Amino acid sequence: MRVPARTRAAAAAALSTTVLLAGCSAGAGQAGTQPKGEKGVLTVGMPNGPQTNNSNPFLGTSAGTSLGYRHMIYEPLVMVNGVRPAEKGTPWLASEWKWSDNYRKLTLTVQSGPTWSDGEKFTAEDVAFTFELIKKNEALNLHAVPFDGISLKGDTVELTFPESQFVNQSKILTTFIVPKHIWSKVKNPETWPNKKPVGTGPYTLKSFTPQTITLAARDTYWQEEPKVKELRYTSYNDNNAQTTALANGSCEWSFVFTPDYKKIYVAKDPKHNKLWFPSGLGVHGLWFNTAKKPFDDPALRRAINHVIDREAIHVRAQATLYPKIESVTGIPLPAGEPFIAPEYRGKKQTVNVEAAKKELKKAGYTLSGGVLKDPSGKPVTMTLTDPAGWSDYLTGLSIIKDNVKQIGIEAKVRTQTVDAWTTAVNEGNFDATLRWTNSGATPYDMYQNVMDGELYQPLGKASPGGNFGRFRNEDATKALKEYANADDEATRAEALNELQRIMVEEVPLAATAAAPIGAEYTTRNWVGWPSEDDPYAPPQPTQPNALDVVLHLRPAS
């Protein structure tokens, strides 16, 4: 499966090939036999299949997003720690920032030292231009931020908004800044492949093939030069190939689902092979396409939710690696415990086939001969889709397929390439799919990603910012707005309680597991990785903090 914002914000690139990928060997290797590694080189991998030459940092389907290397080329205004999102961020391209007028105004003071990798000077004009670019191009505004005024004065940029941006603070501050002198000449930035990316980050694109992308450190970086002089990103065909590469040491850093990870990965080199999977307030879950019949019926969605065996998914699909979802609200525990509405405290998800059958009977469905028919008499069928190679998700779908058979639903599992799947999900061309949600400092981000009517797009029109299930509920949209614009905690709590009620009663998504933002990595050649003892960043290579991780790394000897 991918991250969240897999980027998984954003996951994505093509899958399925018979080409043997660079760095992928047939065996898993034995402890102590892993290669030492080339001096100054860090090998990174993701199981996302062959890539298309596209380094547009704003596109969820670009290679830069899929593998995470966009974070090494383009930098944010502020570096926000995804593991501790409530903490104040670290100044990056902005030396100072100040919110005012109940988060309806942001004043940014831009750094004076950075340069673009082509030698041009970075200025506040680039920052103002970037926000204008996002404002004018809907497809680039992935978080649907309602930009209003954008003004420039010296090294200061002022942004104003028609409503509070309390919930969008980190999203705005972590925006990729792009060079005006290049992007102002681009006719269609929403589709531009950006094959020669120019950024303020410490790395430039050295070479690109569908399997391996190499970045080289530049000696004109405005901060301390990284010790990692070359980053080699390999896109493996699937989870198995990626895990093999980790186990034999040819790949040093990845985020991949690894069944029986202690035996398959850690035991190959217990001293060096590490993993850390901190959890955020996001989930993996079964997204329903509520714009398609019969999945527009909440009674059917509630029934399916009743029969999903989350324990089986936890053990068989996720090898106990990801925390289970227990609360009926879908909010991960214990992190989300303070947010649980009083009426749902202590209420846990359980498999209840009889409750599912009662839901269906009450709604006019009939079950005869093991076949469920909707109120019009049509048999209920569903297609469950996910990318080929994402073994954890596909095992989960297989379990769900068997689960819904208990209430007479004939389901089939269909695989796609990552590109095709991403496009299908964005455009609403699916019945149901396992996918992650956004996460943040509160459950708001998760619920907003699933239920926000402001993100709604009709079937066939892309909705890359969320609400992939085309869920429409005025009360949900209202509660999200109330939470986002509240100026006191009591109002926010009331709005969040309403969102939980809608999640439980309408089930736009059936949460199946908490979404960790973790990674596997080896300390054989590089040390300084984030960990439970030093949680300065989530370790995932596709997360915004990936750059911070690389800048922390030092040679092991």
Side-chain angles (χ1 to χ4, degrees):
M1 105 275 106
R2 304 291 69 92
V3 141
R6 319 57 130 238
T7 336
R8 256 145 204 94
L15 252 171
S16 83
T17 181
T18 57
V19 177
L20 180 63
L21 299 180
C24 176
S25 74
Q30 300 298 320
T33 65
Q34 289 87 345
K36 176 63 179 176
E38 295 181 49
K39 186 176 181 181
V41 176
L42 173 65
T43 56
V44 192
M46 289 296 291
N48 292 349
Q51 301 290 302
T52 300
N53 193 347
N54 189 318
S55 296
N56 189 320
F58 300 113
L59 301 184
T61 54
S62 74
T65 299
S66 178
L67 304 183
Y69 69 81
R70 61 177 178 169
H71 300 293
M72 307 301 160
I73 297 173
Y74 295 98
E75 297 185 289
L77 294 159
V78 179
M79 188 67 73
V80 178
N81 184 353
V83 180
R84 300 285 187 271
E87 294 180 355
K88 183 177 175 63
T90 301
W92 218 262
L93 291 181
S95 59
E96 296 179 7
W97 63 99
K98 180 181 179 182
W99 291 96
S100 56
D101 192 19
N102 191 25
Y103 297 92
R104 287 192 288 267
K105 180 179 177 181
L106 173 62
T107 304
L108 298 159
T109 302
V110 177
Q111 297 274 16
S112 60
T115 61
W116 296 104
S117 56
D118 63 358
E120 294 288 327
K121 184 180 179 181
F122 164 80
T123 69
E125 193 172 355
D126 295 303
V127 176
F129 167 80
T130 298
F131 285 115
E132 288 284 4
L133 182 73
I134 294 171
K135 178 182 178 181
K136 293 176 181 177
N137 294 273
E138 184 179 353
L140 305 186
N141 192 359
L142 298 183
H143 304 296
V145 175
F147 292 102
D148 191 1
I150 301 173
S151 61
L152 172 67
K153 184 177 181 180
D155 64 354
T156 299
V157 176
E158 183 178 283
L159 307 177
T160 57
F161 310 89
E163 55 194 34
S164 173
Q165 296 304 297
F166 173 82
V167 298
N168 286 329
Q169 295 176 67
S170 64
K171 298 168 188 173
I172 295 168
L173 293 173
T174 56
T175 297
F176 291 114
I177 304 302
V178 297
K180 178 180 178 180
H181 66 279
I182 292 177
W183 285 72
S184 61
K185 301 173 185 177
V186 176
K187 292 182 178 180
N188 190 349
E190 297 181 356
T191 59
W192 188 45
N194 189 29
K195 294 182 179 181
K196 297 180 180 180
V198 172
T200 58
Y203 294 92
T204 58
L205 181 62
K206 180 179 179 181
S207 63
F208 189 104
T209 72
Q211 283 76 38
T212 303
I213 293 86
T214 301
L215 305 186
R218 64 185 181 106
D219 57 12
T220 54
Y221 183 51
W222 63 284
Q223 299 194 84
E224 180 186 352
E225 291 182 26
K227 301 300 181 183
V228 176
K229 298 304 178 184
E230 186 169 287
L231 285 159
R232 292 180 190 166
Y233 289 83
T234 296
S235 192
Y236 294 88
N237 273 7
D238 53 30
N239 286 5
N240 290 335
Q242 176 65 78
T243 301
T244 297
L246 281 167
N248 66 29
S250 55
C251 177
E252 300 171 280
W253 186 19
S254 180
F255 171 41
V256 61
F257 171 72
T258 308
D260 199 5
Y261 62 91
K262 292 180 181 179
K263 177 181 178 181
I264 294 174
Y265 170 61
V266 176
K268 300 302 179 183
D269 188 354
K271 181 179 179 181
H272 300 110
N273 287 357
K274 310 293 182 181
L275 73 168
W276 182 44
F277 279 69
S279 180
L281 286 174
V283 300
H284 297 284
L286 187 69
W287 292 70
F288 297 101
N289 191 338
T290 68
K292 294 180 64 176
K293 290 186 177 297
F295 310 105
D296 60 340
D297 186 352
L300 178 65
R301 301 196 299 266
R302 287 195 298 270
I304 293 173
N305 190 45
H306 277 309
V307 300
I308 292 177
D309 190 341
R310 292 167 174 83
E311 179 65 23
I313 292 174
H314 176 63
V315 175
R316 289 166 48 198
Q318 297 162 345
T320 71
L321 195 58
Y322 307 152
K324 289 187 288 187
I325 283 293
E326 295 183 315
S327 173
V328 294
T329 66
I331 297 174
L333 301 177
E337 190 69 51
F339 302 103
I340 301 294
E343 61 191 291
Y344 298 123
R345 287 174 188 159
K347 291 189 176 182
K348 297 184 177 181
Q349 295 277 14
T350 59
V351 175
N352 194 331
V353 178
E354 290 307 311
K357 290 179 177 179
K358 288 180 181 179
E359 285 273 12
L360 294 168
K361 184 177 181 180
K362 184 178 179 181
Y365 292 77
T366 57
L367 179 60
S368 178
V371 176
L372 181 68
K373 294 183 179 180
D374 67 19
S376 72
K378 183 179 180 180
V380 177
T381 62
M382 65 190 303
T383 299
L384 306 169
T385 55
D386 267 306
W390 291 6
S391 57
D392 52 338
Y393 273 4
L394 294 178
T395 301
L397 291 183
S398 179
I399 291 170
I400 293 171
K401 173 186 174 181
D402 292 339
N403 296 159
V404 299
K405 185 68 174 176
Q406 298 176 88
I407 53 175
I409 298 176
E410 187 67 34
K412 62 180 179 180
V413 176
R414 181 167 67 96
T415 62
Q416 298 173 285
T417 65
V418 180
D419 264 349
W421 173 79
T422 301
T423 299
V425 170
N426 284 350
E427 296 181 354
N429 184 21
F430 68 97
D431 290 346
T433 182
L434 276 176
R435 193 192 187 280
W436 59 95
T437 69
N438 286 346
S439 63
T442 76
Y444 169 87
D445 293 84
M446 175 182 76
Y447 285 147
Q448 187 264 349
N449 191 219
V450 176
M451 298 191 281
D452 193 354
E454 295 292 330
L455 298 177
Y456 173 84
Q457 296 290 352
L459 292 177
K461 186 173 182 180
S463 178
N467 197 354
F468 307 110
R470 272 62 184 174
F471 184 67
R472 303 184 79 172
N473 182 301
E474 292 183 3
D475 290 337
T477 303
K478 179 182 177 183
L480 287 166
K481 286 185 177 180
E482 289 177 347
Y483 185 95
N485 290 286
D487 54 13
D488 64 88
E489 287 303 315
T491 302
R492 283 199 184 94
E494 184 178 350
L496 189 58
N497 292 349
E498 173 68 358
L499 291 169
Q500 292 174 64
R501 180 194 66 77
I502 295 169
M503 185 71 163
V504 171
E505 296 180 3
E506 299 287 325
V507 196
L509 170 143
T512 56
I517 41 180
E520 296 91 354
Y521 54 85
T522 176
T523 59
R524 184 179 304 102
N525 301 319
W526 299 99
V527 296
W529 301 94
S531 65
E532 189 170 358
D533 294 330
D534 186 16
Y536 67 83
Q540 199 170 106
T542 56
Q543 287 286 311
N545 296 99
L547 172 58
D548 198 21
V549 172
V550 170
L551 293 178
H552 271 79
L553 297 182
R554 298 290 183 268
S557 60

